[in-house]
Amino acid sequence: MHKILIVEDDEAISNSITQYLKNWGYEVAVVRDFANVTNEFNKVNPHIILLDIMLPFYDGYYWCKEIRKISNVPIVFISSASDNMNIVMAVNMGGDDFIAKPFDLSVLLAKVQAILRRTYDMTDGIAIIEHKGVTLYLNNFMLSYQYKTLELTKNEFRILETLLANKGKVVSRDTLMTKLWQDDNYVEENTLTVNVNRLRKKLDDLGATDFIRTKVGSGYIVEL
């Protein structure tokens, strides 16, 4: 079930969107603390955000910019300020789409479904590696497990990609170090340990505990 976060201060609008999307099987959360939208985002960890422009405290552009510092989650602006300047600004700030108010809820649903398919479904040609419910998206460094999604650093991505490509086999530390040297930048051996530990922590946070096992004296393995 995909999770949708609504950032809309008009309660009537947010309620109607919430009920409609829930009827279609989506899990929906609505921001209540408009002074701390990023905190609510981190709690919900949504697959997509519906974001109004005119909000209390800070506008939607500000929150889009703040969220883009920590996530590539799709963001759809919904606003009555639908002139060309606002649409261009929304896209430039990192928005994925713009829906002008008033809108038909069926149109909103169609756009949400299309973006979710493009972003998360393998049916649209997105390159992925999947094992035991853990999915690594090769195009955008995203990692998901049980409908939770987070972003990996370049080194974390390279480590997990290598382990998944060799699942069931022990991958030596030397092999992983070579993978991290792809940019011809010197990497200390301790860097590998730090990155593996951070990667494990992210997997644990998603609920995929013990996904990467250590083989003492040999390296690491993702077991079959």
Side-chain angles (χ1 to χ4, degrees):
M1 182 187 300
H2 288 111
K3 289 186 289 186
I4 301 171
L5 179 65
I6 299 175
V7 189
E8 165 64 72
D9 63 321
D10 187 315
E11 192 169 338
I13 293 176
S14 66
N15 286 344
S16 64
I17 295 174
T18 297
Q19 190 57 53
Y20 189 81
L21 293 176
K22 282 185 175 180
N23 289 342
W24 281 88
Y26 293 102
E27 183 178 338
V28 183
V30 179
V31 166
R32 301 299 180 190
D33 184 359
F34 292 98
N36 296 288
V37 171
T38 50
N39 288 346
E40 302 225 10
F41 166 78
N42 287 326
K43 290 177 186 176
V44 174
N45 193 23
H47 294 90
I48 190 170
I49 300 172
L50 303 179
L51 177 63
D52 192 13
I53 293 177
M54 303 302 295
L55 295 168
F57 300 102
Y58 304 99
D59 63 23
Y61 299 131
Y62 172 84
W63 291 118
C64 182
K65 185 170 65 174
E66 290 302 297
I67 291 168
R68 279 289 169 262
K69 293 178 182 178
I70 57 176
S71 175
N72 288 322
V73 66
I75 297 174
V76 178
F77 279 90
I78 52 173
S79 178
S80 56
S82 57
D83 55 277
N84 287 340
M85 184 184 73
N86 276 292
I87 294 174
V88 170
M89 187 174 296
V91 173
N92 287 339
M93 285 291 181
D96 295 272
D97 206 338
F98 191 106
I99 303 176
K101 296 177 183 176
F103 50 79
D104 189 297
L105 287 170
S106 63
V107 173
L108 174 68
L109 173 66
K111 284 183 174 284
V112 166
Q113 289 175 330
I115 292 173
L116 289 173
R117 283 197 304 270
R118 286 201 305 270
T119 308
Y120 301 105
D121 287 358
M122 51 189 299
T123 55
D124 276 1
I126 295 176
I128 66 169
I129 302 177
E130 191 276 337
H131 183 58
K132 292 185 176 179
V134 171
T135 302
L136 181 66
Y137 295 86
L138 306 182
N139 296 334
N140 57 12
F141 290 9
M142 300 299 289
L143 174 69
S144 70
Y145 180 72
Q146 294 184 344
Y147 304 110
K148 297 178 182 178
T149 304
L150 52 75
E151 189 171 6
L152 301 179
T153 66
K154 181 171 63 178
N155 282 345
E156 292 165 354
F157 173 84
R158 286 176 174 172
I159 291 167
L160 186 55
E161 181 187 25
T162 304
L163 292 173
L164 286 172
N166 295 276
K167 56 183 177 288
K169 303 175 184 176
V170 176
V171 179
S172 69
R173 290 180 61 88
D174 286 343
T175 298
L176 291 174
M177 290 284 286
T178 301
K179 194 71 174 177
L180 299 188
W181 286 337
Q182 285 184 356
D183 295 330
D184 294 327
N185 293 324
Y186 175 70
V187 178
E188 294 182 355
E189 187 170 356
N190 185 55
T191 302
L192 175 60
T193 302
V194 170
N195 278 276
V196 169
N197 288 339
R198 287 176 178 169
L199 177 57
R200 279 177 164 154
K201 175 64 166 57
K202 289 185 176 182
L203 286 162
D204 286 347
D205 289 344
L206 291 178
T209 56
D210 295 325
F211 190 75
I212 298 173
R213 308 296 295 269
T214 299
K215 295 296 183 180
V216 179
S218 300
Y220 303 97
I221 185 173
V222 169
E223 295 179 335
L224 294 174

